[in-house]
Amino acid sequence: ATLLGTALGPVIMMGWFIAGGVQPLFALAGTLFFLVTLLVLTRFICEAGLMYMGNESNPLDLFTKLFTPSSLSPATAAQFAVQRGVFMHDPREFLMPYISNGLKLGSSARLRTGRLVLALVAAMAVGFAFSGLGVLGTSYKYGMSNMDYHTSQGAPSYFLPVAATFTKAETAPEPARYFGVHIVAGGLGSAALLFLRSRFVWWPLHPYGWLICTTYAAWMIWFSVFLG
């Protein structure tokens, strides 16, 4: 079941992208980007003990900086704008860190993993059902625009216009090659920090700090982290 879910999840996400008009190669890249982000954030939370994690990495910003509007279709840009607003901009609802921590606690308490997984699945099913009905019901009763600002007004008025501005640019910009240099430099820098951290006990700098220093979450919790 684990292997089947691991295989079907990305395939369904990629198929959903393609059905929405995303070019197949970009659909594959966007799906892999999302999965890697999930894994990295989960490790952050589980290893560093952070209960709140922000994320500024997303396919929309990456692809609109590396490619021109002629190579990135309008549907592709729009779908990645939706992905960023719903799934990647504010990742407090990612399930993977919670499940990982729950399984670790269950292992420490010598609980049967199978029963614990069933309990987690049941809790998620109930949560999805009631939260979905609750959001729809209150939105129709009180008006979605009168509720949470970010969900109803902030995200739709920011992320989709980014895609529209990129697509409708009168003068198509050349791909920003230096963004690629930034990506390579960031990867090499993170790898170097991981190496130094694993080999030298006295090394004081953690790669996590570099990766999250520009996120909203870090702005909110930095003092608590240093105090700890």
PDB file of all heavy atoms in Angstrom, residues 5 7-18 31:
ATOM      1  N   GLY A   5       0.798   3.935  -2.991  1.00  0.00           N
ATOM      2  CA  GLY A   5       0.490   5.340  -2.752  1.00  0.00           C
ATOM      3  C   GLY A   5       1.612   6.259  -3.184  1.00  0.00           C
ATOM      4  O   GLY A   5       1.370   7.343  -3.739  1.00  0.00           O
ATOM      5  N   ALA A   7       3.638   5.769  -5.586  1.00  0.00           N
ATOM      6  CA  ALA A   7       3.651   5.844  -7.051  1.00  0.00           C
ATOM      7  C   ALA A   7       2.445   6.611  -7.589  1.00  0.00           C
ATOM      8  O   ALA A   7       2.570   7.435  -8.496  1.00  0.00           O
ATOM      9  CB  ALA A   7       3.684   4.430  -7.636  1.00  0.00           C
ATOM     10  N   LEU A   8       1.260   6.339  -7.016  1.00  0.00           N
ATOM     11  CA  LEU A   8       0.038   6.938  -7.556  1.00  0.00           C
ATOM     12  C   LEU A   8      -0.074   8.425  -7.244  1.00  0.00           C
ATOM     13  O   LEU A   8      -0.601   9.195  -8.052  1.00  0.00           O
ATOM     14  CB  LEU A   8      -1.185   6.213  -7.009  1.00  0.00           C
ATOM     15  CG  LEU A   8      -1.490   4.841  -7.601  1.00  0.00           C
ATOM     16  CD1 LEU A   8      -2.738   4.250  -6.954  1.00  0.00           C
ATOM     17  CD2 LEU A   8      -1.682   4.947  -9.115  1.00  0.00           C
ATOM     18  N   GLY A   9       0.404   8.847  -6.067  1.00  0.00           N
ATOM     19  CA  GLY A   9       0.278  10.251  -5.699  1.00  0.00           C
ATOM     20  C   GLY A   9       0.889  11.191  -6.733  1.00  0.00           C
ATOM     21  O   GLY A   9       0.193  12.064  -7.281  1.00  0.00           O
ATOM     22  N   PRO A  10       2.171  11.042  -7.049  1.00  0.00           N
ATOM     23  CA  PRO A  10       2.769  11.918  -8.069  1.00  0.00           C
ATOM     24  C   PRO A  10       2.140  11.756  -9.452  1.00  0.00           C
ATOM     25  O   PRO A  10       2.013  12.735 -10.182  1.00  0.00           O
ATOM     26  CB  PRO A  10       4.243  11.475  -8.076  1.00  0.00           C
ATOM     27  CG  PRO A  10       4.467  10.846  -6.750  1.00  0.00           C
ATOM     28  CD  PRO A  10       3.176  10.190  -6.387  1.00  0.00           C
ATOM     29  N   VAL A  11       1.762  10.530  -9.798  1.00  0.00           N
ATOM     30  CA  VAL A  11       1.152  10.318 -11.117  1.00  0.00           C
ATOM     31  C   VAL A  11      -0.164  11.070 -11.226  1.00  0.00           C
ATOM     32  O   VAL A  11      -0.458  11.726 -12.238  1.00  0.00           O
ATOM     33  CB  VAL A  11       0.945   8.811 -11.372  1.00  0.00           C
ATOM     34  CG1 VAL A  11       0.082   8.585 -12.612  1.00  0.00           C
ATOM     35  CG2 VAL A  11       2.287   8.107 -11.538  1.00  0.00           C
ATOM     36  N   ILE A  12      -0.988  11.008 -10.178  1.00  0.00           N
ATOM     37  CA  ILE A  12      -2.275  11.708 -10.196  1.00  0.00           C
ATOM     38  C   ILE A  12      -2.056  13.222 -10.229  1.00  0.00           C
ATOM     39  O   ILE A  12      -2.748  13.955 -10.951  1.00  0.00           O
ATOM     40  CB  ILE A  12      -3.112  11.296  -8.980  1.00  0.00           C
ATOM     41  CG1 ILE A  12      -3.522   9.828  -9.107  1.00  0.00           C
ATOM     42  CG2 ILE A  12      -4.347  12.187  -8.846  1.00  0.00           C
ATOM     43  CD1 ILE A  12      -4.236   9.274  -7.892  1.00  0.00           C
ATOM     44  N   MET A  13      -1.098  13.715  -9.441  1.00  0.00           N
ATOM     45  CA  MET A  13      -0.827  15.152  -9.451  1.00  0.00           C
ATOM     46  C   MET A  13      -0.367  15.616 -10.832  1.00  0.00           C
ATOM     47  O   MET A  13      -0.827  16.645 -11.343  1.00  0.00           O
ATOM     48  CB  MET A  13       0.228  15.505  -8.409  1.00  0.00           C
ATOM     49  CG  MET A  13       0.622  16.972  -8.427  1.00  0.00           C
ATOM     50  SD  MET A  13       1.751  17.460  -7.088  1.00  0.00           S
ATOM     51  CE  MET A  13       0.589  17.564  -5.737  1.00  0.00           C
ATOM     52  N   MET A  14       0.523  14.839 -11.428  1.00  0.00           N
ATOM     53  CA  MET A  14       1.001  15.192 -12.764  1.00  0.00           C
ATOM     54  C   MET A  14      -0.139  15.135 -13.771  1.00  0.00           C
ATOM     55  O   MET A  14      -0.268  16.022 -14.629  1.00  0.00           O
ATOM     56  CB  MET A  14       2.123  14.237 -13.175  1.00  0.00           C
ATOM     57  CG  MET A  14       2.742  14.560 -14.515  1.00  0.00           C
ATOM     58  SD  MET A  14       4.127  13.464 -14.908  1.00  0.00           S
ATOM     59  CE  MET A  14       4.446  13.947 -16.609  1.00  0.00           C
ATOM     60  N   GLY A  15      -0.996  14.107 -13.696  1.00  0.00           N
ATOM     61  CA  GLY A  15      -2.148  14.021 -14.591  1.00  0.00           C
ATOM     62  C   GLY A  15      -3.105  15.184 -14.410  1.00  0.00           C
ATOM     63  O   GLY A  15      -3.678  15.688 -15.379  1.00  0.00           O
ATOM     64  N   TRP A  16      -3.278  15.623 -13.175  1.00  0.00           N
ATOM     65  CA  TRP A  16      -4.149  16.771 -12.894  1.00  0.00           C
ATOM     66  C   TRP A  16      -3.582  18.034 -13.546  1.00  0.00           C
ATOM     67  O   TRP A  16      -4.325  18.830 -14.135  1.00  0.00           O
ATOM     68  CB  TRP A  16      -4.261  16.952 -11.381  1.00  0.00           C
ATOM     69  CG  TRP A  16      -5.354  17.879 -10.939  1.00  0.00           C
ATOM     70  CD1 TRP A  16      -5.376  19.228 -11.061  1.00  0.00           C
ATOM     71  CD2 TRP A  16      -6.577  17.512 -10.302  1.00  0.00           C
ATOM     72  NE1 TRP A  16      -6.523  19.741 -10.536  1.00  0.00           N
ATOM     73  CE2 TRP A  16      -7.284  18.714 -10.061  1.00  0.00           C
ATOM     74  CE3 TRP A  16      -7.130  16.306  -9.895  1.00  0.00           C
ATOM     75  CZ2 TRP A  16      -8.525  18.716  -9.433  1.00  0.00           C
ATOM     76  CZ3 TRP A  16      -8.364  16.325  -9.274  1.00  0.00           C
ATOM     77  CH2 TRP A  16      -9.049  17.511  -9.044  1.00  0.00           C
ATOM     78  N   PHE A  17      -2.272  18.212 -13.443  1.00  0.00           N
ATOM     79  CA  PHE A  17      -1.626  19.353 -14.092  1.00  0.00           C
ATOM     80  C   PHE A  17      -1.870  19.322 -15.607  1.00  0.00           C
ATOM     81  O   PHE A  17      -2.252  20.330 -16.217  1.00  0.00           O
ATOM     82  CB  PHE A  17      -0.124  19.336 -13.825  1.00  0.00           C
ATOM     83  CG  PHE A  17       0.284  20.034 -12.568  1.00  0.00           C
ATOM     84  CD1 PHE A  17       1.241  19.472 -11.728  1.00  0.00           C
ATOM     85  CD2 PHE A  17      -0.250  21.256 -12.218  1.00  0.00           C
ATOM     86  CE1 PHE A  17       1.634  20.117 -10.570  1.00  0.00           C
ATOM     87  CE2 PHE A  17       0.132  21.913 -11.058  1.00  0.00           C
ATOM     88  CZ  PHE A  17       1.081  21.328 -10.224  1.00  0.00           C
ATOM     89  N   ILE A  18      -1.618  18.172 -16.207  1.00  0.00           N
ATOM     90  CA  ILE A  18      -1.760  18.053 -17.659  1.00  0.00           C
ATOM     91  C   ILE A  18      -3.195  18.303 -18.080  1.00  0.00           C
ATOM     92  O   ILE A  18      -3.470  18.974 -19.088  1.00  0.00           O
ATOM     93  CB  ILE A  18      -1.264  16.673 -18.132  1.00  0.00           C
ATOM     94  CG1 ILE A  18       0.253  16.555 -17.896  1.00  0.00           C
ATOM     95  CG2 ILE A  18      -1.576  16.456 -19.609  1.00  0.00           C
ATOM     96  CD1 ILE A  18       0.819  15.184 -18.203  1.00  0.00           C
ATOM     97  N   THR A  31       5.701  18.660 -10.284  1.00  0.00           N
ATOM     98  CA  THR A  31       5.358  17.610  -9.328  1.00  0.00           C
ATOM     99  C   THR A  31       6.574  17.201  -8.507  1.00  0.00           C
ATOM    100  O   THR A  31       6.499  17.069  -7.276  1.00  0.00           O
ATOM    101  CB  THR A  31       4.796  16.386 -10.066  1.00  0.00           C
ATOM    102  OG1 THR A  31       3.628  16.777 -10.809  1.00  0.00           O
ATOM    103  CG2 THR A  31       4.423  15.282  -9.096  1.00  0.00           C
TER     104      THR A  31
END
